[in-house]
Amino acid sequence: MPDNTIVQDTRTGKNPEASKEMVPPDHLTIKDSRTNKEYPVPIQNGTIKAMDLRKIKVSDDDFGMMTYDPAFMNTASCQSKITFIDGDKGILRYRGYPIEQLAERCTYLEVAYLILHGELPTKTQLADWTHNITVHTLLHENVKKFMDGFNYDAHPMGMLISTLAALSTFYPESKNVHDAATRKHQIHRLIGKVPTIAAFAYRHHRGLPYVYPDNELSYPANFLSMLFKMTEKKYVVNPVIERALDILFILHADHEQNCGTNAMRSIGSSQADPFVSTAGAAAALYGPLHGGANEQVLRMLREIGSKDKVPEFVKRIKAGEGKLMGFGHRVYKNYDPRAKIIKETADKVFEVTGRNPQLEIATELERIALQDEYFMKRKLYPNVDFYSGIIYEALGFPTEAFTVLFAIPRTSGWLAQWEEMLLDPEQKIARPRQVYNGYDTRNFVPIEKR
Ligand code: CMC
């Protein structure tokens, strides 16, 4: 017979059956049909604590009730003050500031400071912060040698992930994760070095000599210089391109508990150092359903080939032949606000670089999908990755490098979430439960009898 547990929400009606003793004002009353017992469970911030369910038992030796939530569809794993998303309304804010205002008025380094410190920096704070990041842009020469070992066609994300992990061996003091000054030092190192690793991966891939950081340039301009400088004495960056890249960095800086950030918190919760934790977060980002989608979008647009082939392609997606990459989101059930800003930024970039021919196919794909019943019913809208790759391509980046461009700015978000997790007294090592549904005890069978 199935369980029949009755749940009542006291915020929406009276609850005469709940015990009057020790009952918090906002609570759910859960009635267990197996025992006929009732349990008032406190409600806080629209959630109940999964641990409060443990007291629901059929007998003293029962382990107690758990929740089952594969893929964390409806589970808050932490409390956070960093990023707010309202997926139905298409709202994204860092530390309370709307993404639109930050993208218009700030630099990425200013936003990274905000995300990590909770407040926008004063002029002096920004100057110190920029200095601290800039003095950490160089890589140890042995890191360069390590990167030389990769094959010429190694994927830049594989190189980034491995090199981030390798940095842990260069800075063993980073293990001291409970020391605030040590944490701060590693945060400066990581934000400073990630663009250098990314640029070296690109140069290695192209068989070009590495370009060392130029600390007179801004964060995005230095990155562009390390990527594209040839024999000229000083790389001259087009200010429109520099600003566009900075905006893209701002848009990608944090996105609350996504797959990569969850990996960062999970690895960091074992008190692993921030280099290996960041490597793990980057590995999660690499997947095609997450940050790897920007690379897949470009491959998809190339496969479609021309605007007139879009309806046929959409038909194939609806028939279950793959996904429309760059569409859909676990949280946004409306237009991703980042995609809107990226589309506007693309127009400015194309004035300098010329129009990317893939844009026409992407715009047609969006137009058709947004009026199609399949996508409307499932609330599937373009996400951040739909248009970002088109800009990256126009800026001269190879398709394989797109996800690296996501990882560079996300490093500040990962580090902010990592530090918040370490300082949160409610957090412990992340260790989910499971529902075991395999065999009960079996006796060993020798190999000759199997
Ligand atoms: N194309 C076609 N159908 C889709 C798509 C898509 N891109 N995304 C979701 N669906 C369908 C899905 O098949 C399901 O249909 P049904 O109800 O008939 O089974 C329904 O929509 C709900 O999707 P879901 O897979 O349950 O949603 P999810 O929350 O588990 O997955 C997602 C979210 C982003 C992984 C998914 O939408 C997806 O795979 N999108 C394409 C990859 C992509 O663009 N990823 C980048 C995400 S934004 C950047 C980041 O932060 O990572």
Side-chain angles (χ1 to χ4, degrees), residues 187-203:
I187 288 171
H188 295 153
R189 278 179 170 149
L190 270 157
I191 297 177
K193 290 181 198 312
V194 167
T196 316
I197 302 172
F200 280 20
Y202 168 77
R203 301 286 292 200

Side-chain angles (χ1 to χ4, degrees), residues 73 255 258 285 288-291 293 317 322-330 333 336 338 374-375 378 380 383-385 406 410:
M73 294 290 288
H255 213 234
N258 54 80
L285 185 76
L289 298 188
H290 192 8
I317 297 287
K323 281 186 168 173
L324 184 49
M325 298 313 282
F327 255 70
H329 200 275
R330 171 66 59 79
K333 299 301 166 197
D336 181 336
R338 301 170 298 175
Y374 175 95
F375 296 92
R378 291 170 177 78
L380 300 171
N383 59 49
V384 70
D385 291 318
F406 193 150
R410 183 55 60 85

Side-chain angles (χ1 to χ4, degrees), residues 258-329:
N258 54 80
C259 183
T261 303
N262 183 55
M264 181 84 189
R265 281 182 174 258
S266 185
I267 300 168
S269 77
S270 73
Q271 299 179 7
D273 72 62
F275 295 101
V276 290
S277 302
T278 305
L285 185 76
Y286 188 8
L289 298 188
H290 192 8
N294 52 17
E295 181 179 338
Q296 300 309 321
V297 170
L298 254 285
R299 297 195 191 288
M300 173 186 77
L301 295 176
R302 282 197 204 112
E303 184 197 325
I304 297 171
S306 62
K307 194 177 152 184
D308 56 304
K309 304 245 173 66
V310 168
E312 178 53 34
F313 183 78
V314 171
K315 213 187 262 175
R316 277 170 44 203
I317 297 287
K318 285 161 58 180
E321 286 181 41
K323 281 186 168 173
L324 184 49
M325 298 313 282
F327 255 70
H329 200 275

